DNA sequence: ACGGTATATAACCCTCCGGTTTGATAACCA
DNA sequence: TGGTTATCAAACCGGAGGGTTATATACCGT
């Protein structure tokens, strides 16, 4: 379980991969679809997908040549469960973090790039 | 903003650093105290602390020669806020998460005075 | 069977990371 | 003043990470 969190957090530490996850939150997508928005080669994106897959954050099916990617949110839940262990500390330091969090809530949307309305906002 | 999450998740991706945070959750500690449980040199631990400090997860005071470390949970909250954007996806496949979600939701409402939509499920 | 599309693999860069050992800095204690 | 304690800084090393280009693989459509 060490290792799970290791892989999960490491996978989330890259903005390209977080953007891929945000895109996948809107539904399945192929590798080329996922690669399109980025200014990098297709193999680079494939590597990112491999990292996400190894972390269990993405699974892939098969549709002819295409290999559609799907979000697997299990590891995200595990990560959140781990973070929840520090909830009390957020609360302690909350008052002086108030401003920061307000700012964060607005900038949050940019990073989540259209990842459906349901969540944090 | 990307960079914050980059540094935060990258810092959390190492089990030694997570252990350090867990230790600091119980109160301040000096570098040597933090280094004691680990089978690695003190400079290695200092390096980990620097990573945590750069990520804003740890701050340090000064007590004579000692440089006590203190947990700063702000980035953890930031990370959780990001993860919360995927709440709906966890919920799809994991009903046993209800307890955690309820707990988180009630905290959010208390802390943020309903600024966040309660619409998740 | 052929050409095009979608994706993976290989080989190769360069940088960053986690660890080491050694030596420097700074503050206490006598 | 000298010695001890606590911590940092520098130099180094092996390996992993993120990127590239070029090439192979697999499947479709005709």
């Amino acid at each position: 379980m060490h290792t799970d969190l290791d892989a999960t957090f490491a996978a989330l530490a890259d903005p390209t991969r977080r953007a891929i996850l945000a895109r996948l939150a809107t539904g399945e997508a192929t590798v080329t679809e996922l690669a399109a928005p980025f200014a990098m080669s297709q193999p680079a994106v494939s590597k990112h997908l491999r990292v996400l897959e190894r972390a269990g954050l993405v699974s892939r099916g098969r549709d002819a040549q295409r290999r559609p990617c799907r979000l697997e949110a299990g590891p995200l839940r595990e990560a959140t469960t781990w973070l929840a262990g520090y909830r009390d500390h957020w609360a302690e330091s909350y008052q002086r973090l108030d401003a920061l969090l307000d700012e964060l809530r607005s900038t949050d949307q940019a990073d989540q790039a259209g990842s459906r309305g349901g969540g944090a906002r």
Side-chain angles (χ1 to χ4, degrees), chain A:
Chain A
M1 33 181 78
H2 263 198
T3 319
D4 276 7
L5 284 174
D6 284 7
T8 301
F9 284 131
L12 296 181
D14 186 285
T16 301
R17 287 194 289 263
R18 289 198 304 276
I20 289 176
L21 291 181
R23 167 64 179 78
L24 289 178
T26 72
E28 289 196 0
T30 70
V31 176
T32 20
E33 284 168 357
L34 289 172
F38 300 107
M40 71 179 69
S41 63
Q42 168 265 314
V45 174
S46 278
K47 276 195 181 182
H48 282 300
L49 286 172
R50 211 138 96 77
V51 172
L52 291 168
E53 203 176 2
R54 250 190 349 128
L57 284 160
V58 156
S59 67
R60 352 190 39 173
R62 180 160 243 166
D63 169 27
Q65 315 113 26
R66 273 155 243 132
R67 198 147 302 179
C69 301
R70 168 179 12 123
L71 176 63
E72 295 289 339
L76 297 180
R77 176 186 52 84
E78 285 177 24
T80 305
T81 301
W82 184 86
L83 284 164
Y86 293 84
R87 220 167 34 95
D88 297 347
H89 295 273
W90 314 338
E92 276 177 20
S93 55
Y94 180 67
Q95 297 203 320
R96 63 199 179 87
L97 277 169
D98 203 0
L100 171 65
L101 287 173
D102 281 341
E103 183 192 349
L104 196 146
R105 259 193 301 278
S106 49
T107 54
D108 197 27
Q109 306 164 8
D111 197 36
Q112 298 257 334
S115 76
R116 62 226 303 272
R121 168 158 36 252

